[in-house]
Amino acid sequence: MMHLAVAIDHPGTTDPRPYVHAARLAERGRLDFVTLGDAFGPRTPRESRIDALAVLARVAPATERIGLVPTVTTTHTEPFHVSSAVSTLDWVSRGRAGWAVDVSPGETAARLFGRRPAAPDDVLWREADAVADVVARLWDSWEDDAEIRDRATGRFIDRDKLHYVDFQGPGFRVRGPSIVPRPPQGRPVVVVDATAGPARGTAARRADVALVRIGSADDPQQLAAVRAELHDSARAHGRNPRHLRVLASVPVALHTAADAVALADLAGRWYEDGAVDGLHIRPEQPGRDLSLLVDGTVPVLQHRGLLRRFHPGGTLREHLGLPRPANRYAPARETA
Amino acid sequence: MTRTARRQMHLAAHFPGVNSTTVWQDPRSGSQIDFSSFEHLARTAERGLFDFFFLAEGLRLREHKGRIHDLDVVGRPESITVLSALAAVTERLGLAATVNATFNEPYELARRLSSLDHLSGGRAAWNVVTSSDAFTGENFRRGGYLDRADRYTRAAEFVATARELWDSWTPCGRARPFAHDGRHFSVAGEFDVRRSPQGHPVVIQAGDSDEGREFAASAADVVFTRHGTLESGRAFYADVKRRLAAYGRGPDELKIMPGVTFVLGDTAAEAQERAAEIRRQQVSPQNAILALEQVWGRDLSGYDPDGPLPDVDPDPGGELAQGRVRIGDPLAIAAQWRALAEAKGLSIRETVIETSGRQSFVGTPQEVAARMAEFVTREAADGFILVPHLTPGGLDDFVDRVVPLLQERGAFRTEYSGTTLRGHLGLPVPVWNSGRP
Ligand SMILES: Cc1cc2nc3c(=O)[nH]c(=O)nc-3n(C[C@H](O)[C@H](O)[C@H](O)COP(=O)(O)O)c2cc1C
């Protein structure tokens, strides 16, 4: 089955209601997940935004199935806090969290923090890669059955099932373990926009879902090439390439029912050609485009048997057909 | 009636999580991590018309004898994220997150708090804590250690910087650049979240030293204190309120809320019996030895918790515990414990139970309501942060049985009069500071 995701960014909006509305619509369309972008500093001068992870935490109790994927940046943040916050989003959504990894380039963002000068993208992505690594280790730093509540010995946890991560990254160290127990999905879904060169290695090594930005008029052969490259690179890193979903991230503007059908045609063609595992739709105006997507594009794809008619599972990993990862710190008994 | 007699108290609910008062062995004890537990407690607090719901924070799992402490509840979610989710299932309740001022940066935290304030329609609060030891620092970029004076100058500059960021948007929605150049932070640019419903989220301070009290008087809206008895509460209350004038603030601009525990019973005797049973649950045999080792600074795992206190003396240099607030002089405490054990013929466990904090309010709902009201009229508190011992049902009885009695006495609100936490607390809307001389 094809995977479908949608961006629900509402630039300038700090009211939670449009986000809740959009996520519910996407849920009604049986999409895999919604994304919400984030960065430090206004997108355009004097435009307000709001913390993306917090918005999706606010959306979580108002939805039941839809995956929730906020951008959280790694350049000026603390890896330990990033790990706790995404893990907590997974807890409050009962296994529907993802994390879109991104960096904060530029002098303007650096001055908001005043801690370090701006650095080139490849340096920032090397750090982001290490942050994604340690964050996943922190998620694993509790084994799933660490909480024992053993009244006989008075022990709440079996501390042999908690692990220090002792991670050394470029310019930071993290001791661990996490303060948050291992989240429902084991590890929330990691999403990386693999369009630009410096991010592509991280997508191959660390991502569950890679996004590749492309225009709807562009040649899907480009996509197939990037997908093959990501798969090869994932394999070279010892990963099963079938555990990496590659989605084309497409800007759309749907004005009419015909536009919605055209989008279904495009999605169906790219998917059936084997260029992508699905689409990440970036609506020009979510208020307008999303209803046409859900009521126009989705039914066509369902009718053609390319898209699910209901969410068979409860977690985002289940929607994506990705296994719950074994814990790297657990002895073989857990993975056996 | 006098003005003080009519003064209504403020109430908050502390989530019973990672805390030595939390009883997890009880069959009624539920998850400390599932969202449903947070939802139940928050909804109960809102049903009881509480001012706010409160989450503590700890950024490194505590250790004892070089190993992770395993006898109390371990593990909790990240506060601001849980509170953002709770904003969806509550309407009026304030949402207070404890967040460390040492291991965060103003721009990021100011926008997270402002975001919570937007998402909740003006219900966000920040409990500024300063704990910072090299042990906790091992999880963070800055690492290291700050002594108490530095911790508080950083915290004060942090709060001031956050307020500059919040004020960089005018109340009518215009954004202007900010620039702050200080000892701890040198930051400039544009803040990217428009002014939130409260203007400034409510600032809570928890810390007891002279520096901590001074910081509270200068910058906080609420103090969370451990002074939960009438006598020490009155002394603390007078001391902190006295400090306000130096900052041009009136006594009502800072609310003093001790963290307190409670046990209810149909009769006074039944409540006392329950209270004793809860203390026995809180101090398991293993926890008794651990408490002993913390005072003695030595490995005492060979001792029988039901036997007498050890003959050996404490090792004043012994540092067994990490990530906990240090206790006082170990030799003096050991002497006290021995005297008590001797006089009453107590075992190790009984001694620890006897010396560990008594519950603050024990009695029938009538007695508890009367006693709490007395604390407020006698200026030992402006309200309370209640710490139940059970998750998630620990607040149910209080809300069902004590709140109506407080309301009957006129000591507590009978409905929310406003929508923001500032409104519930009777705090003024912050004056917008243009940042210009
Ligand atoms: C009632 C109370 C609650 C506290 N809660 C926390 C907490 O949740 N997390 C934390 O890191 N520190 C907490 N602290 C610790 C304070 O931030 C501070 O580090 C500590 O009290 C030492 O500072 P002091 O010497 O000024 O008292 C708390 C302190 C008090 C008095």
Side-chain angles (χ1 to χ4, degrees), chain A residues 12 14 16 38-42 45-51 53-55 57-58 61 74-75 77-81 84-85 88-89 91-92 94 111-116 127 142 147 149-157 159-160 162 164 172-181, chain B residues 24-25 27 29-36 39 58-61 63-64 66-78 81-82 84-85 87-89 103-105 107-108 111-112 115 118-119 138-142 169 175 178 186-194 284 286:
Chain A
T14 46
D38 208 353
F40 292 123
R46 291 175 293 283
E47 182 178 273
S48 174
R49 59 164 94 225
I50 179 166
D51 184 82
L53 188 137
V55 171
R58 165 70 180 75
T74 57
T75 308
T77 53
E78 288 285 352
F80 193 82
H81 292 323
S84 302
T88 300
L89 181 62
W91 278 108
V92 301
R94 301 184 170 95
R111 278 170 18 107
L112 301 174
F113 285 79
R115 280 220 286 195
R116 54 199 289 207
E127 183 186 49
W142 290 56
E147 185 181 318
R149 299 192 181 224
D150 184 39
R151 291 161 76 171
T153 58
R155 293 177 307 149
F156 182 79
I157 50 160
R159 58 188 169 194
D160 291 335
L162 264 56
Y164 296 100
F172 68 91
R173 287 172 32 175
V174 179
R175 175 98 167 104
S178 175
I179 50 169
V180 188
Chain B
W24 55 261
Q25 301 90 338
S29 158
S31 173
Q32 89 290 359
I33 186 73
D34 283 345
F35 183 63
S36 57
E39 185 173 351
L59 295 173
R60 172 103 189 243
L61 300 183
E63 290 184 7
H64 183 71
R67 303 199 62 200
I68 289 164
H69 174 56
D70 58 358
L71 301 178
D72 294 328
V73 168
V74 187
R76 58 176 133 208
E78 188 271 317
T81 305
V82 175
S84 303
V89 296
F103 301 112
N104 283 284
E105 296 299 316
Y107 194 90
E108 186 188 10
R111 87 197 280 279
R112 296 191 72 203
S115 296
H118 278 290
L119 293 171
E138 286 178 355
N139 282 332
F140 297 98
R141 289 179 189 267
R142 71 179 307 284
W169 286 73
F178 68 88
S186 215
V187 293
E190 280 183 54
F191 190 55
D192 56 3
V193 187
R194 82 162 55 88
S284 66
Q286 296 82 359

Side-chain angles (χ1 to χ4, degrees), chain B residues 209-278:
Chain B
S209 58
D210 194 57
E211 290 88 339
R213 294 179 187 202
E214 209 56 38
F215 169 49
S218 69
D221 301 305
V222 175
V223 179
F224 176 22
T225 159
R226 295 204 171 90
H227 294 279
T229 63
L230 189 61
E231 303 70 39
S232 80
R234 280 173 57 80
F236 179 81
Y237 191 99
D239 177 77
V240 173
K241 297 264 177 173
R242 179 180 54 73
R243 295 172 191 250
L244 286 165
Y247 301 97
R249 305 180 70 197
D252 284 342
E253 290 177 54
L254 178 64
K255 309 296 176 190
I256 295 182
M257 299 181 69
V260 296
T261 53
F262 58 90
V263 184
L264 304 176
D266 290 337
T267 63
E270 187 192 84
Q272 288 297 343
E273 220 167 273
R274 272 197 192 155
E277 173 57 25
I278 291 166

Side-chain angles (χ1 to χ4, degrees), chain A residues 56-73:
Chain A
L56 294 185
R58 165 70 180 75
V59 167
T63 52
E64 286 175 1
R65 294 297 170 110
I66 189 81
L68 305 168
V69 183
T71 296
V72 182
T73 56

